[in-house]
Amino acid sequence: MLLERERFVGPPQSPAMRLRPRRPQQFRLADSAQQIVGGFLLAGPFVVTEEVWNLAENMSLSKALIIVAIVFAIGYAALYKADTTRDADDEQEVAGIPIRFISLMVVTFGSVTVLALLFGAPETFLKTETTGHRAVITFKAVTVGAVFSVVGAATADSIFAK
């Protein structure tokens, strides 16, 4: 009975509370693959819409940096606060940061960036901009798309986790 109980998170709070099994602590390549599917799935529609690029063009750099912070907060909350079977302290870390969270951020911003560049969105929507200004606007557009990409990536990671 003791060995069976070790698979569960803490003692029950009440007799009606159901114990939930802990998720595996090891971060696997399959976990990144799940994040990639979710990240690309929700990033796609946002990198090809003119409205996102117009919004990015008119957004200040400070607001884009605030959006980056919001994306990090959404990602952390989705992985470790909304999912009660996962604990950041129990996962593998690099420099004190869980590998799963690092992977989520790379996938989140990477998927939006890759799709934007593959679809040629900067060249399409920012034809008259200089290269430097185009890079800044592209960064801002990526931050907008990342808000949606992080939701898809974190959801896929949580739903398909074993």
Side-chain angles (χ1 to χ4, degrees):
M1 180 69 178
L2 182 60
L3 293 175
E4 182 67 22
R5 184 158 183 91
E6 289 176 0
R7 291 182 36 220
F8 298 98
V9 179
Q13 301 292 325
S14 69
M17 182 180 156
R18 193 183 88 178
L19 295 176
R20 295 184 182 188
R22 279 196 184 266
R23 295 192 187 233
Q25 294 176 12
Q26 298 292 68
F27 183 73
R28 300 166 295 138
L29 183 59
D31 296 324
S32 283
Q34 292 160 359
Q35 291 176 350
I36 290 168
V37 168
F40 273 88
L41 182 68
L42 289 188
F46 295 98
V47 299
V48 295
T49 59
E50 187 175 9
E51 291 82 2
V52 168
W53 291 88
N54 289 337
L55 180 67
E57 194 169 9
N58 294 313
M59 181 190 312
S60 69
L61 189 56
S62 60
K63 286 182 183 175
L65 294 174
I66 291 169
I67 292 172
V68 169
I70 290 170
V71 169
F72 272 71
I74 290 170
Y76 190 86
L79 287 180
Y80 303 112
K81 301 301 179 190
D83 187 346
T84 59
T85 63
R86 189 177 286 146
D87 185 0
D89 294 331
D90 291 341
E91 294 200 345
Q92 297 169 310
E93 297 177 343
V94 172
I97 303 169
I99 292 174
R100 181 178 309 276
F101 181 71
I102 294 170
S103 173
L104 181 69
M105 292 299 104
V106 169
V107 166
T108 294
F109 289 98
S111 61
V112 179
T113 303
V114 165
L115 287 176
L117 297 177
L118 285 177
F119 290 146
E123 295 83 11
T124 301
F125 298 117
L126 307 172
K127 294 176 186 170
T128 61
E129 301 295 336
T130 64
T131 304
H133 198 195
R134 187 181 291 178
V136 171
I137 296 170
T138 300
F139 167 74
K140 293 188 281 186
V142 165
T143 65
V144 172
V147 171
F148 304 97
S149 180
V150 72
V151 171
T155 300
D157 187 22
S158 293
I159 288 176
F160 298 114
K162 290 184 177 182

